Amino acid sequence: VGSIGLYLGVTRGVAPRLGLLAAVANSLAAAELVAMLLVQLAVKAVEAHPDRTLTSIWLGLDVAWDLFGGAGTVLFGVALWYHPRFRPLMAGSGVLVGLVLVILNVATFPTPPASAGLIDVGPLVGVWYVILLARVLFVSRREAAQ
């Protein structure tokens, strides 16, 4: 929902195609997350300690979630570059954290980066979105007051 709001409220007017692709990628990431959680619940309901074969199924879904989320973050970052109120800091940092997320997941596939001894960039991506949404609220209230 947040990604659709970012598209409609921020990027549609300055980079409509990039913003739409970002919202679609993030929506697919959310669907992957739901699929991963449902697979985990279903497997653990039948097998308390699943073997590597079963856990690799949700690890694959976890990587897909990160790849779609990373792609959406990069695309939103690029789209924000066209908006004067969000460049260069918000746009550039979005591209950076999204690229790091994608690169680390591709480099360590099929193992998640944190399990491979690297950092999990997912929480940093989440922080970026929280800061972005706070910035959107600040900008919208400031423009409404003018």
Side-chain angles (χ1 to χ4, degrees), residues 87-119:
R87 67 173 179 245
L89 189 59
M90 287 307 306
S93 60
V95 170
L96 180 65
V97 297
L99 279 176
V100 170
L101 181 67
V102 168
I103 289 168
L104 289 179
N105 274 277
V106 168
T108 62
F109 181 80
T111 305
S115 299
L118 299 173
I119 62 167

Side-chain angles (χ1 to χ4, degrees), residues 85 133-146:
R85 302 252 190 212
L133 292 174
R135 176 80 177 137
V136 168
L137 287 173
F138 176 77
V139 167
S140 65
R141 288 185 182 202
R142 189 171 179 195
E143 288 181 359
Q146 291 178 352

